[in-house]
Amino acid sequence: MPIASSLGPLAKGYTGYAMTRHQAFAIWVTGLPASGKSTIVSTLRPQLETLGFTVEVLESDEVRQVLTPKPTYAPAERDLFYRALAFTGQRLVAHGVTVLFDATASRQAYRDYARGVIPRFAEVAIDCPLAVCMQRDRKGTYQRGQRGESSTVPGLQVPYEAPSNPELRIDTTALQADEAARKILDLVRTRFL
């Protein structure tokens, strides 16, 4: 029996999933730890959903709990982690889910890899001085680094490669999260809609 016949009344008016949804895309929001990435992403997500997008946030700390529950942050482990994160994002976008990457991704190569595997992709750089990030740090990331409990904090002990040519740059010392989210929505409208 054809699928449409087995659905009965549910099949009436069916025009195809892809024709009724926006085409998915990915935005990588990058910046130093405690620069404001998560606050902006949590403000942006419901606004994108209001526009009709199905949105998934890939937040690095949450994904690490699954992929590397006892992370060492060694270079090889980071390389593997960010490849897996980009692959996950690529598969979600391929299935119609818009992805917001909320991840420092301290090397440009990590973000470039994601750009290479996700055709509809944008990079948003969150600019915030290290001193301000350290003041804002609610997770204690920088304090652990200063106490010697960690030796891999981006911007403090290992370099953070800020994007040289992002689609959008946001200064979180000058803009609040709602203003930053509006700027990203403007980018979405001009680039993806």
Side-chain angles (χ1 to χ4, degrees):
M1 173 185 294
I3 291 175
S5 298
S6 67
L7 291 175
L10 293 175
K12 289 182 180 174
Y14 177 76
T15 59
Y17 181 79
M19 296 182 73
T20 60
R21 305 291 297 177
H22 292 297
Q23 191 175 355
F25 58 88
I27 296 178
W28 198 302
V29 182
T30 179
L32 289 171
S35 59
K37 298 183 301 294
S38 296
T39 304
I40 292 168
V41 166
S42 66
T43 303
L44 177 62
R45 180 184 189 163
Q47 295 178 19
L48 287 171
E49 290 171 338
T50 298
L51 292 176
F53 292 101
T54 300
V55 181
E56 185 64 42
V57 174
L58 295 179
E59 197 274 334
S60 57
D61 288 343
E62 290 178 0
V63 177
R64 262 198 191 90
Q65 291 175 14
V66 176
L67 293 180
T68 55
K70 294 183 180 179
T72 65
Y73 299 98
E77 181 185 277
R78 280 187 198 248
D79 291 349
L80 177 63
F81 173 78
Y82 283 112
R83 277 198 320 273
L85 193 66
F87 174 78
T88 303
Q90 186 268 334
R91 298 312 305 146
L92 287 166
V93 169
H95 289 281
V97 178
T98 287
V99 173
L100 299 176
F101 291 98
D102 173 6
T104 297
S106 58
R107 294 182 57 218
Q108 183 66 50
Y110 301 145
R111 303 178 310 261
D112 286 347
Y113 177 79
R115 185 185 294 277
V117 298
I118 304 171
R120 290 167 54 84
F121 180 91
E123 186 177 23
V124 174
I126 305 302
D127 292 335
C128 186
L130 178 62
V132 175
C133 292
M134 292 175 76
Q135 290 172 357
R136 293 178 176 176
D137 182 24
R138 291 188 298 257
K139 295 181 182 178
T141 302
Y142 294 107
Q143 291 176 5
R144 286 192 298 277
Q146 290 175 315
R147 290 193 303 259
E149 296 169 13
S150 172
S151 60
T152 60
V153 179
L156 186 65
Q157 296 144 322
V158 297
Y160 169 71
E161 298 174 8
S164 57
N165 194 26
E167 280 74 12
L168 180 62
R169 191 174 293 280
I170 293 172
D171 178 353
T172 57
T173 64
L175 293 179
Q176 297 295 319
D178 58 340
E179 298 170 302
R182 276 198 298 274
K183 284 190 169 291
I184 299 173
L185 278 176
D186 288 343
L187 171 68
V188 166
R189 289 186 177 103
T190 58
R191 190 172 178 93
F192 300 122
L193 293 183

